[in-house]
Amino acid sequence: GPAFAQPWHDDDSSSIKAPQLARVNSLLTPDLSSLDDPDEPIISVAEPHALSAKARSNPEDNPTYDEAMKGPYANEYYEACRTELKTLVDDLDCWELVLRTDDMNVLPSTWAFKCKRYPDGRVKKFKARFCARGDRQVEGIDYFETWSPVAQWVTVRLMMILSVILRLKTAQADITAAFVHAELPPEEQVFIHQPRGFKVHCDEGEL
């Protein structure tokens, strides 16, 4: 059969020679001595795809709450949390504090953190997202359907084709926290615990 259909056999463990290993290592750890300018991006002396893979594979870029608040970037993650809450509370007015009753199905809440990097591994920005534990909801009781308004690539390509044919100008926009712009109907109220580290104690309630 064709070569690409042949089964792979590990008959020779030495098939990966030392120079090949050295080549892989050099891609991930470039020789910075070749940089003339100390401020020159590392990507100029290393393989971009290897650097991008290295940046994406850093396990420290998705810390837990305790790891984020006790780590070297605690201040940056804390400010990311403040930015997230400002968007949800001050700008979008996503929730109000209420008193807990026995008939409420109160969902736990959690923080999701992300350290975004440039392809050469440098830190780009820190992001924090406040999330409700939707996995604790029960279908048919807490919700009745799920859907996600995501555009298909065929639609995007069609729009690009039409813009070329009709000579239209195209623009791209990003909506911050787009998923919370929709309003829930009264029969589908959701109750969650306040954000960890930012709990407000007041007379209005606890949730």
Side-chain angles (χ1 to χ4, degrees), residues 119-144:
D120 60 7
R122 292 176 298 128
V123 174
K124 183 177 181 180
K125 65 178 179 178
F126 297 88
K127 297 182 67 175
R129 289 290 179 261
F130 176 64
C131 308
R133 290 286 304 277
D135 58 299
R136 298 293 184 89
Q137 292 181 306
V138 179
E139 185 177 4
I141 299 178
D142 300 303
Y143 69 93
F144 302 96

Side-chain angles (χ1 to χ4, degrees), residues 153-202:
W153 277 112
V154 63
T155 304
V156 177
R157 294 189 184 100
L158 178 60
M159 296 299 297
M160 295 295 101
I161 294 172
L162 290 176
S163 67
V164 173
I165 295 175
L166 301 177
R167 297 185 178 182
L168 302 176
K169 292 183 178 180
T170 59
Q172 179 180 353
D174 182 29
I175 301 177
T176 303
F179 63 96
V180 295
H181 281 262
E183 294 187 4
L184 290 175
E187 65 273 12
E188 295 185 16
Q189 290 184 335
V190 177
F191 301 95
I192 63 173
H193 288 286
Q194 293 190 53
R196 182 179 178 183
F198 296 87
K199 187 174 182 179
V200 178
H201 298 278
C202 58

Side-chain angles (χ1 to χ4, degrees), residues 59-71 77 110-113 196:
E60 298 179 357
D61 289 348
N62 298 93
T64 63
Y65 180 87
D66 290 331
E67 292 171 343
M69 295 305 165
K70 296 178 182 178
Y77 281 119
T110 186
W111 284 103
F113 296 102
R196 182 179 178 183

